[in-house]
Amino acid sequence: QVQLVESGGGLVQAGGSLRLSCAASGSRFNGKSVGWYRQAPGKQRELVARISSLDREIYADSVKGRFTISRDNFKNTVYLQMNSLKPEDTGVYYCNTYPVTVWDTWGQGTQVTVSS
């Protein structure tokens, strides 16, 4: 079965850093763009960052200059380095291909909580 496993979340004070990891099974990410998404309570899920199969990086305006997305294709793993965290970064973070279609499944995500 195809799986997505996110990890690395936690509780951190504003200004702190976290590094998230996303491990995918099989060839889920091969030749595809991959994105990090987050969903805060009461809000819609949003795309935070994405990286293409050629390592092109695109970020949401809210995280530019603070987050860095990267990938290790041999490990089938995508990372999100988050620096200078703000309380508004709080949410459940998910990884998936980009764009996401009805055919794609989601992992359980990893919780990121930033205190002020």
Side-chain angles (χ1 to χ4, degrees), residues 42-116:
K43 294 185 177 181
Q44 295 183 333
R45 183 170 54 212
E46 63 176 342
L47 179 67
V48 174
R50 58 185 170 101
I51 184 168
S52 75
S53 61
L54 297 177
D55 289 344
R56 181 189 180 194
E57 305 162 36
I58 299 175
Y59 301 93
D61 288 340
S62 61
V63 307
K64 284 182 179 178
R66 300 188 298 117
F67 290 11
T68 303
I69 187 171
S70 61
R71 66 193 298 170
D72 184 335
N73 294 324
F74 289 108
K75 292 184 177 181
N76 296 319
T77 302
V78 180
Y79 305 94
L80 185 68
Q81 178 66 46
M82 306 186 295
N83 299 324
S84 302
L85 283 163
K86 303 176 180 180
E88 51 262 44
D89 294 319
T90 294
V92 180
Y93 284 69
Y94 304 87
C95 63
N96 216 326
T97 53
Y98 179 86
V100 177
T101 73
V102 68
W103 292 82
D104 297 313
T105 58
W106 296 86
Q108 295 190 70
T110 184
Q111 175 71 45
V112 172
T113 303
V114 184
S115 62
S116 61

Side-chain angles (χ1 to χ4, degrees), residues 1-24:
Q1 61 179 6
V2 178
Q3 295 179 321
L4 295 170
V5 181
E6 300 93 346
S7 62
L11 175 63
V12 65
Q13 293 183 338
S17 298
L18 287 172
R19 181 175 170 83
L20 308 184
S21 297
C22 168

